[in-house]
Amino acid sequence: MLIRRKRGWELPEAAATPEAVFVQRRALVQAMGLGALLAPLAIDAAQAAEDKATADPSAGLYPFKRNPRYTLDRPITDPKYAENYNNFYEFGSEKDIAEQAQALKIRPWTVKIDGMVEKPFEIGIDDLLKKMPLEERLYRHRCVEAWSMAVPWSGFAMAALVALAKPLGSAKYVRTQTFLDSAVAPGQQQFWYPWPYIEGVTMAEATNELAFMVTGMYGKPVPKQDGAPLRLALPWKYGFKSAKSIVRLSFIEQRPATFWETVQGDEYGFWANVNPAVPHPRWSQATERVLGSDERVPTLIWNGYGEYVAHLYDGMTGEKLFM
Ligand SMILES: Nc1nc2c(c(=O)[nH]1)N[C@H]1C(S)=C(S)[C@@H](COP(=O)(O)O)O[C@H]1N2
Ligand SMILES: [Mo]
């Protein structure tokens, strides 16, 4: 199975702290000269102080009110899968990067808005949360590797962020950029990848009602391994389009060179819309493995979201829309 040891999700959020903190706390207890009997109390006090210092300042905002417009055809995935079976190459190419990802510092976190906009600006994540219309949505997520999950995401419509950015008429694409810090993200020391992780969508995709900026998951701030503190969810596209831990959105005229397209363009194209009839060059996309079950279910074209997005691609016959 995937889960080999106790991980953050098995503990209440406040109890999950990095090893270094335990070491510090042990040193503190020893320095206080307390006997073994009193030590647990001292640990509780140290824990409380520590929780206050490191608590996610947005935690009190959750849960967001669920938008009933977006419904699922399957059960919500148990968070133990969504939070422990991850693709986040910055922290390694395996699925069990959740512990590694705890090294990411998510405050302060500034998002830069630039390119073809009225006036470029930077905004802190907590200020951004104050300006955006917050809601929860149930979405399916389909990875190009043929596994899937169904998740309650918290966040806001990407269209609201686009409106805040005030793009000029000349902007045709929104390019999303993930943080770059190889000291915390060892995967970024792998020089053969074109870091930082870049993805992008057209303006029409960015302002489509489904495009969703994610700040939370399962009614809490989104875990680091799932892309804290700001990621995308583009539920009609393969998962790699949904960039994690975004630091910059640029409004640009040319189609951006995206991470996976640069690595392997014949397998991971720019559009990457889900289609069971178009196989990946190395495997079928006809069915998907539902995380947390032994079931394989048929994959749906546009991942089942055709009524919202199929019209975006009318007449684009020369494009590789499904790869
Ligand atoms: N920055 C960054 N974003 C990323 C990835 C990545 O490696 N780095 N992987 C993508 C892929 S392939 C998928 S399937 C989803 C996985 O999200 P999850 O771990 O929350 O399921 O994140 C996407 N966003
Ligand atoms: Mo993926």
Side-chain angles (χ1 to χ4, degrees):
M1 251 328 282
L2 311 168
I3 316 297
R4 293 196 304 269
R5 333 160 245 199
K6 277 229 169 213
R7 292 184 186 276
W9 58 265
E10 293 176 273
L11 305 167
E13 188 140 290
T17 53
E19 173 70 12
V21 173
F22 284 112
V23 173
Q24 278 170 18
R25 197 175 292 143
R26 201 185 309 131
L28 172 70
V29 169
Q30 282 163 0
M32 289 169 83
L34 295 170
L37 270 173
L38 282 177
L41 285 174
I43 288 173
D44 283 351
Q47 174 78 65
E50 141 92 21
D51 288 348
K52 223 175 152 195
T54 61
D56 183 327
S58 72
L61 298 174
Y62 294 86
F64 300 171
K65 190 170 183 298
R66 185 172 294 175
N67 184 335
R69 182 165 160 81
Y70 309 102
T71 55
L72 294 174
D73 58 351
R74 60 194 72 178
I76 290 176
T77 301
D78 186 320
K80 74 183 182 189
Y81 299 103
E83 296 176 6
N84 292 278
Y85 185 82
N86 300 105
N87 273 332
F88 203 164
Y89 272 59
E90 283 81 346
F91 294 99
S93 54
E94 304 300 317
K95 292 290 185 287
D96 62 341
I97 53 77
E99 281 180 4
Q100 282 277 13
Q102 302 318 304
L104 182 64
K105 275 199 64 187
I106 56 168
R107 292 296 186 287
W109 190 276
T110 305
V111 181
K112 183 189 263 186
I113 308 286
D114 65 2
M116 296 165 165
V117 292
E118 271 182 24
K119 193 169 180 284
F121 62 92
E122 295 188 359
I123 186 165
I125 185 70
D126 296 299
D127 291 332
L128 183 61
L129 277 162
K130 278 183 210 141
K131 288 184 193 285
M132 293 290 107
L134 305 177
E135 60 178 69
E136 180 180 80
R137 297 185 183 186
L138 304 178
Y139 275 173
R140 293 183 296 272
H141 173 98
R142 172 61 158 76
C143 177
V144 73
E145 298 162 340
W147 55 266
S148 69
M149 60 182 183
V151 172
W153 300 116
S154 311
F156 49 87
M158 191 178 191
L161 183 56
V162 171
L164 184 75
K166 301 201 179 81
L168 306 176
S170 48
K172 295 203 166 48
Y173 298 89
V174 186
R175 175 185 183 271
T176 52
Q177 182 176 324
T178 295
F179 76 89
L180 183 64
D181 186 351
S182 62
V184 300
Q188 292 182 335
Q189 290 163 18
Q190 300 187 312
F191 58 85
W192 55 92
Y193 286 117
W195 306 110
Y197 197 93
I198 299 293
E199 258 306 334
V201 291
T202 62
M203 288 296 290
E205 290 174 330
T207 53
N208 181 271
E209 69 166 271
L210 288 184
F212 196 59
M213 304 293 315
V214 167
T215 62
M217 195 178 182
Y218 297 99
K220 298 174 301 176
V222 65
K224 293 175 180 179
Q225 63 270 28
D226 292 287
L230 185 67
R231 69 171 283 175
L232 252 174
L234 301 164
W236 72 100
K237 290 181 179 285
Y238 291 118
F240 66 87
K241 296 294 297 181
S242 295
K244 293 179 167 179
S245 304
I246 293 169
V247 293
R248 182 178 176 196
L249 294 109
S250 304
F251 293 78
I252 57 179
E253 195 163 7
Q254 302 294 321
R255 186 187 292 187
T258 58
F259 182 88
W260 284 111
E261 193 179 21
T262 304
V263 172
Q264 194 98 320
D266 51 342
E267 301 193 352
Y268 310 105
F270 177 78
W271 297 104
N273 296 307
V274 175
N275 187 342
V278 178
H280 181 277
R282 291 183 281 132
W283 58 82
S284 166
Q285 295 289 25
T287 63
E288 62 203 54
R289 180 171 59 87
V290 178
L291 287 194
S293 84
D294 296 330
E295 246 190 308
R296 285 202 86 89
V297 302
T299 288
L300 306 169
I301 187 163
W302 314 106
N303 202 23
Y305 294 100
E307 60 174 306
Y308 300 96
V309 297
H311 69 273
L312 295 175
Y313 309 97
D314 282 348
M316 295 177 63
T317 45
E319 296 280 339
K320 285 188 176 168
L321 291 175
F322 300 105
M323 230 190 59

